[in-house]
Amino acid sequence: MRALVYHGPGHISWDTVADPVIEDPGDAVVRVETTTVCGTDLHILNGDLAEVRAGTVLGHEAVGEVVETGDDVERLHPGTRVVVSSVSACGRCGPCRDRMFGQCRGGGGWILGHLVHGTQAEYVRVPFADRSTHRLPFSPSPDEAVLLAEVLPTAYEVGVRNGEVGPGDTVVVVGAGPVGLATVAIARLYSPRRVVAVDLSAARLEAAVDMGADAAELPGRMIAELYDGPGADVVVEASGEPDGFVLCTRAVRTGGHIAVVGTPGRSSTLHLESLWRKNVTISTGQVDTSSTPWLTELLRFGRLQVSPLITHSFELDQAVEAYEVFSKGTESGALKVALRQGGGGRSRWRRGRAPCHRVASPYGPGPGRR
């Protein structure tokens, strides 16, 4: 098959690689219909995640069709259309039993495109397939459906839910990238008094208004007003930048909540000297995707409009170009890019299996936040 392969910091290419095969009885092989690129992929490309080995197929979000299953797979069969979750769940360990799939200790967590080959390919092997895929009960557009793999669960679980957004709250979202914008849209479902988006990009501020923000501004006057005034009930850090985190600590009210969603690429300073008296709660977290079925229903019944998040579309074999456009999002206007495969892959699928085995795996939780 063809796939996007990581060859070390700064180097990726569209290569011919071996077709995936069933390696464990719980595996499924999925023909990728649509995949996407996210910020963590850029972190890998920049060399920030040394554990990712050269030769790894990147990507951890996809929508596709099951073409083969292992003997222990019960919920799926060839022809089933699924969302491939960004995190994998063994279903047996303590964290999985607590529905904290991102912290799986039984070989799951964030492994696709990280510790095993990922989804930016014509086909992908999905470990723990019964618990690491979500069947689609309706036929959304592939562009919307792929957002269920990570972007929407991250915005809800790590931002809105962890931040405890509620009716009448003032919510500030710092960083209007894809997850920040999804946070704006989902927060609206909880009847806040107002939702404010903060970003340095005028285009992204405009997108925030389209997604439902009551106000969208550059950092500055509004943050100063919140700092000097009552402050925000919930502040969601979705930029991943140290300065963004500092803005959050300035905007939050006494007794308020800072929910950290963005993946930090650098260290951030926690100014406890100014925060310790404010009774502020700071939450972090890796997405678990336990909310994906609920979010799927919101899309199904039109309660959540997210199609504006997909701004650019490419053929799958244009993945290198997609990375270039996505990495320059503030210049290109890219939020999420969709990589779509044509119809040629299904007819040439060749069934194949490696010797099936179960191995206690060192795979643990990865960053998995965007």
Side-chain angles (χ1 to χ4, degrees), residues 25-334:
D27 291 348
V29 175
V30 174
R31 177 187 178 272
V32 174
E33 179 181 342
T34 302
T35 184
T36 186
V37 184
C38 81
T40 298
D41 296 322
L42 297 183
H43 281 296
I44 294 171
L45 183 58
N46 291 336
D48 297 335
L49 297 171
E51 68 271 23
V52 180
R53 298 186 299 269
T56 299
V57 175
L58 296 183
H60 49 268
E61 305 161 77
V63 174
E65 181 180 304
V66 175
V67 296
E68 186 177 358
T69 60
D71 293 339
D72 289 353
V73 175
E74 298 178 350
R75 293 179 51 252
L76 308 176
H77 56 79
T80 304
R81 191 163 179 253
V82 295
V83 173
V84 177
S85 175
S86 61
V87 297
S88 303
C90 78
R92 300 184 296 270
C93 69
C96 281
R97 289 197 297 271
D98 290 335
R99 298 183 65 77
M100 294 190 297
F101 306 132
Q103 308 297 326
C104 175
R105 296 181 179 177
W110 175 44
I111 58 174
L112 290 174
H114 178 212
L115 302 174
V116 302
H117 292 314
T119 60
Q120 290 166 8
E122 292 178 325
Y123 297 92
V124 60
R125 178 182 71 90
V126 183
F128 311 114
D130 273 336
R131 291 172 292 273
S132 305
T133 62
H134 300 276
R135 299 177 63 153
L136 286 169
F138 69 121
S139 297
S141 74
D143 289 359
E144 286 192 345
V146 78
L147 298 173
L148 292 164
E150 182 176 51
V151 169
L152 297 179
T154 299
Y156 169 65
E157 295 171 12
V158 188
V160 174
R161 187 177 67 189
N162 282 5
E164 299 181 358
V165 174
D169 282 349
T170 293
V171 180
V172 173
V173 179
V174 177
V179 171
L181 294 173
T183 301
V184 168
I186 296 173
R188 299 298 322 174
L189 300 175
Y190 288 80
S191 302
R193 186 168 70 90
R194 64 172 179 162
V195 178
V196 179
V198 179
D199 201 279
L200 295 173
S201 165
R204 291 192 169 190
L205 292 176
E206 184 177 341
V209 173
D210 291 341
M211 294 298 293
D214 298 294
E217 299 191 7
L218 297 168
R221 179 180 61 81
M222 182 167 291
I223 296 297
E225 289 177 355
L226 288 168
Y227 181 71
D228 293 333
D233 301 284
V234 182
V235 187
V236 178
E237 203 303 294
S239 73
E241 294 295 328
D243 289 345
F245 180 73
V246 173
L247 282 176
C248 292
T249 64
R250 291 176 58 85
V252 70
R253 69 166 173 81
T254 297
H257 199 127
I258 299 172
V260 179
V261 175
T263 302
R266 296 174 288 156
S267 298
S268 298
T269 301
L270 176 61
H271 289 284
L272 284 175
E273 74 278 5
S274 60
L275 285 177
W276 70 274
R277 298 181 60 188
K278 292 184 69 173
N279 289 19
V280 171
T281 299
I282 300 174
S283 64
T284 65
Q286 179 176 305
V287 66
D288 298 311
T289 66
S290 58
S291 64
T292 300
W294 175 68
L295 292 164
T296 301
E297 291 301 292
L298 292 182
L299 285 184
R300 182 181 186 180
F301 293 105
R303 297 294 306 277
L304 194 58
Q305 302 297 325
V306 295
S307 56
L309 292 177
I310 300 290
T311 56
H312 291 69
S313 298
F314 299 86
E315 292 297 315
L316 190 56
D317 60 7
Q318 296 175 303
V320 174
E321 180 183 348
Y323 267 72
E324 181 72 13
V325 170
F326 181 69
S327 68
K328 298 178 179 178
T330 55
E331 303 170 20
S332 65

